[in-house]
Amino acid sequence: MKNAIFGESFQYGVDVGWSFYPKDNDATIELQNLAVLDQEKTAAEVKWTRANDKAAPLLCTRDPIRVKQKQTYAVEVEAMGRGNIELGVCEYNPNFLRARTMRHQLTEKTGTFTFSCTPSTDATEVRPSVFFNAAPDGDTKTQRCVIFRVAFWVPEAEFEGAIVWPENWKEISTKKEVLAYFGEKFGNYHGIRATERAAIVKEVQVTGILPPYSPIKHTAKGKYALTTSAWDFSRSVLPDRLVVKGMPILTREMELIVERGGSPVPMTPDGDLRVVRESGTEVQLARYCKSSDLKIELRGTLLYDALLLGTVTLQPSKPISVDRALLRITFPAEVARYIRYNTLRGGGSETRPWRFGFGPITAPGEKFEPKYNLLNGRWKNEWRPAVYSQPNAEIWKWSEVDWLPEVWIGDEERGLAWFAESDQGWSYGAGDDTFVLKREGERVVAELRFIAAPIELTEPRTIRFALQATPPKPAHPDWHQLRLSGVTNTFAKRGGVDEAFYRKNTAFASIWHSLWSEGCSTPRVKSPDKLKEFVQGCHASGVAVFPYLAPTHIELHTPEGYYYGKATQEWAKIPYQESVPISVSDKDKITGAVKTCVNSFFADWMAKGVGDLIDQYDIDGIYFDNCTIRECSNTEHGCGWRDADGEVHATIPFMAIRRFFMLVRNEFHKRGKPPLIWCHGAESPAEISFIDFSVLGEGVYGLDHTEQLSLPEMRANFIGPNQSGFVRVFLPQFGYGHEPKEAYREEVTRHLLALTALHGTPAWWIFCNATPFAKMANAMDRLGDGPVEFVPYWKWDVNKSLNPQGVYASMYKGHRGVVIATSNLSEKGVEALLPIAALRAAMSKWSSTTDILDGGKVEVTADGVRLTVKAKDVRVLLFE
Ligand SMILES: [Zn+2]
């Protein structure tokens, strides 16, 4: 046996054997690695602090090592320290990565730990890895581990071919050389010609209203009817009344309040509401009001996707002091049931941390403890409303050093989002409350305080914000028939379920860029024949195809990626971010990406590329990954804003990503293809207007998702249809840190199905045992074409008798049958009764009752149906 890990020194970098994640420039991690302890032995000392529960490091070999199936390999680590490490491999085939690990306890005495690995049948390469994500005993803050040696033992015969050994490296070896290589390769490329560029802009331009939206209808003076909402601006540019899906979501007019000397300044209207422009796509309104020494100009643009873009300009006639200025939105308590907020900053750095929360807006006496967390607790749902007993109370506030750019409040079917692209014009400091949520009896009040710290107003000050009523459009009508399989690139055998299963059961397939494109997130096709063959094969089996792209990055190893991303940075998000090439041993394998901003011509270029893919390959939609927009200060393409001192501040391009999805949607629409747009990684207001599906759940690890998600969290953030105008799809990731044979057990999938079936949420059949999802989908198909009515547990009164047992039942009613999912979320098995009266009320008659998941006969007695439901499991019945 020989050790296939070369360079036994633990030097970090692309030209030696090891990689640390996160990168060592991450401020939250202190990595004192790579120390040479003595002349004999080299060692990596990993010392890290779990600051704010942020990233924990991982050490892995730079190059994947080729492995043979059915062969057993040993990873061996010699180490000492405190706490635990997880030892294992990251497994790869061309389409996926899977970690397999085993936990070991470290001591102050050097020990040798081994992990025995037999690659899964679809794995072609592994990267031996040491994970430091286990909290050390007795101290969750710091961990120290000294690694003396790591070995991956391979048979002599496999050694030569295990990796490309350094002596065989050709021209390139360091990052600098890689970038020089790009420069040389694309040095003669000077971008798209001006005439061609103008033609692209013209070609992808959207004129008119995109289905399923209808034009804005002017119903009476100041009143407008949209696809799902009705807005009344009789008195102001801020709505007096807002009705969504037939229900008023405000209890009084939305108010702009300016406070001076401790009380609101009485403002009087200055002239009538002015309609500046009125069409089917938008309405522009303007209004002035005034007090003795302050005039306020309010401007609003209502767009057909239920978006109101607002501008407030405070114009003092002489220097005045203002204590506070805020937008006050008053909801009926029955609508303000849930909240979601997100800082969108991403990255986990100290100065711009990613913060998010979602959950119930608690009533008096109600308590909520979030369960949801990502990457084994690296990020947590932060929503913690106050526990209070009085009818009037403060429920929550945001007083952080940075403002909150995005908040949504609503119930299971409707709501209102508020967002701002920047805090230009605001006044606040650390500790000032910029967002406050209060209960006032039967009302819930949200205050968005853009002037939260007193200021001296000497000149006009403008603040921009936006509101979006949700859902802006209905969700895709076939949401209940969604079958997104694990198929990526090939109909491969997965999780003990074979090719024939997927051919029979799949309706949608996504294709990873490695099959067809020149790199990650470029519409440039590298393998036209492969792509054609894949699409034709899928279409012959009735499977729709979604190539993988992203709105937030582009492959560096393409002319456009290099030129617009790196050389000119015209498409780049600023601050500039470039990923390190992950492989340099083989030129054809070089990959790297530049973070892009959709506020640039990149959006138009990508839309044009999508149009070409539709024309040439007959694709059915796009799977967009990494849809989280990040702040950008690239003034060259219109982002950022400059303060009085000339300093540039970043903006968050919410409206640009809306436009991006609008352009892409239009490419399908104008060719007469119903668009199927997938969005993974985010669903911000405005971004959601033109998408069909959103994929969530990635990073939620563990073998029992009933322990990872509470019902209020599901209702705030994971309802499939109806709430937001697109379909939420759950992406399971049970397996991280577990043996695949554990994660692929049917029981594990059924824990998740117990939650998703209750909330109308389809799941992606990936990284899991797909059989329960497939059986559920087959049952849904039996409901017949046409609309299916979803009757969730919170609206179906049969739950009154079930819920005290920890049992919940939701129903799907189609014109040919009814599916009922009954989940037991308690710790022990129960016998639940679906009473005959409830069944008769749901359907007039039925002739057969099928047990979808377990098979066998279901007896319907004079009492109804008695079901034995195991702990954290679900039973699904089909009545036809
Ligand atoms: Zn930008």
Side-chain angles (χ1 to χ4, degrees), residues 570-574 596-600 630-635 637-640 651 653:
E570 188 192 316
W571 294 357
K573 179 193 88 66
I574 302 294
T596 51
C597 178
V598 279
N599 211 6
S600 67
R630 298 281 162 80
E631 55 182 14
C632 175
S633 51
N634 193 337
T635 53
H637 63 225
C639 285
T651 47

